[in-house]
Amino acid sequence: MVAVETLLIGVHDGHLTYRAAEESLADNEHPDAAARRLAGFGPPFGPPFGPPVNGRLIHSTSWRFDGGRIVLTYAALPDPDPATAQRFPALGATTATGTALNPSPPHVDRADVIAHAARHLAFLHRTDPAVAEAALEHPPLWALLDAYQPDVAGPVRPLR
């Protein structure tokens, strides 16, 4: 079984917020479409790789094995209703780590997933022109996300 989890990320009263929406992936539904639907963003706008509209962004940030199923996590922003959301975990929240032969940790907390998504978005803000363009529409949100150490799913550095 596969589930799609969408973390709607926003800002309220100067703090990052999130709401999580999750459901099992329906037969023949693309995970991206499920993430958009869970975010309430509707169908994609324009061509598949067109510019962001109103600063909206959905990005696949991680996956994990949880309770006998694979959970695909997407970050969606900006949250259209951040006042009803929860505050982000404190900056510097723990991060799940595995080992070389067991890369998946035995348990992944929601705080781990949220922190990873924030670091991933901070990385994309610095490296992806489409994300940088979307960020122009929501400077307070992206300023808070940029406080996270930019990262991807593993270290990016030369081996030598």
Side-chain angles (χ1 to χ4, degrees), residues 45-134:
F45 302 99
F49 298 103
V53 175
N54 299 324
R56 285 183 174 175
L57 174 71
I58 292 183
H59 189 79
S60 173
T61 61
S62 62
W63 70 270
R64 67 186 181 280
F65 183 74
D66 185 21
R69 63 198 177 123
I70 300 294
V71 180
L72 306 175
T73 301
Y74 287 78
L77 52 153
D79 182 349
D81 192 15
T84 65
Q86 299 179 56
R87 277 192 183 180
F88 253 50
L91 189 65
T94 61
T95 57
T97 58
T99 64
L101 294 178
N102 293 306
S104 299
H107 177 73
V108 179
D109 290 326
R110 173 70 44 88
D112 296 323
V113 174
I114 294 165
H116 176 78
R119 289 189 308 272
H120 193 106
L121 291 168
F123 176 81
L124 291 172
H125 188 203
R126 291 165 173 83
T127 61
D128 185 314
V131 174
E133 183 180 344

